[in-house]
Amino acid sequence: MNSPCYPLAMDVGVCQLRSFSISFLSSVLGAESLDNSSSGASVVAIDNKIEQAMDLVKSHLMFAVREEVEVLKEQIKELMERNSQLEQENSVLKNLSSPEQQTQFQAQVQTGSPTAGAPGPGPTA
């Protein structure tokens, strides 16, 4: 059963863990031969192996989460920069427009009318 791996760091980590976990656990649990006379020791050994496997899974997941957090931080930074640029552009456009144009725009915003067809002179370049 192969599931598709996705380009996000978290999904890649999960895909790697899926393909890795079955073979890893099989090799870890198969490394100890189970003897019926020492079942107590076998249970402890199996518990230790399971704990080691869970620690490894945890470290892989934490790595994937850290990678995803870094990607998201970068996206947030880019979006904040873009927002700042748009706010500056909006301020310039407000300063260049006439009071009549601003009033007309506010009326269109309140009624939900499209602004693309609004008449009015645009800035000259």
Side-chain angles (χ1 to χ4, degrees), residues 17-120:
L17 284 173
R18 282 185 190 145
S19 63
F20 161 79
S21 62
I22 293 175
S23 61
F24 174 78
L25 288 175
S26 297
S27 66
V28 167
L29 295 175
E32 300 265 340
S33 63
L34 298 177
D35 184 11
N36 289 338
S37 63
S38 61
S39 64
S42 297
V43 169
V44 171
I46 290 173
D47 286 347
N48 289 338
K49 297 295 181 179
I50 290 171
E51 186 175 341
Q52 290 173 357
M54 293 301 292
D55 287 342
L56 186 61
V57 167
K58 179 183 171 185
S59 67
H60 279 279
L61 283 174
M62 290 302 294
F63 178 76
V65 167
R66 284 187 191 106
E67 283 185 344
E68 187 69 18
V69 165
E70 289 303 315
V71 168
L72 292 173
K73 281 182 180 179
E74 185 63 31
Q75 288 177 347
I76 289 169
K77 180 182 171 188
E78 291 170 1
L79 289 171
M80 289 178 73
E81 289 171 357
R82 178 69 176 141
N83 187 48
S84 178
Q85 290 172 349
L86 290 173
E87 285 175 350
Q88 290 174 356
E89 181 181 326
N90 188 36
S91 177
V92 168
L93 291 174
K94 280 183 179 180
N95 289 333
L96 294 175
S97 64
S98 68
E100 295 82 23
Q101 289 171 323
Q102 290 181 19
T103 304
Q104 183 182 19
F105 177 73
Q106 285 297 331
Q108 288 174 343
V109 167
Q110 290 174 354
T111 61
S113 300
T115 59

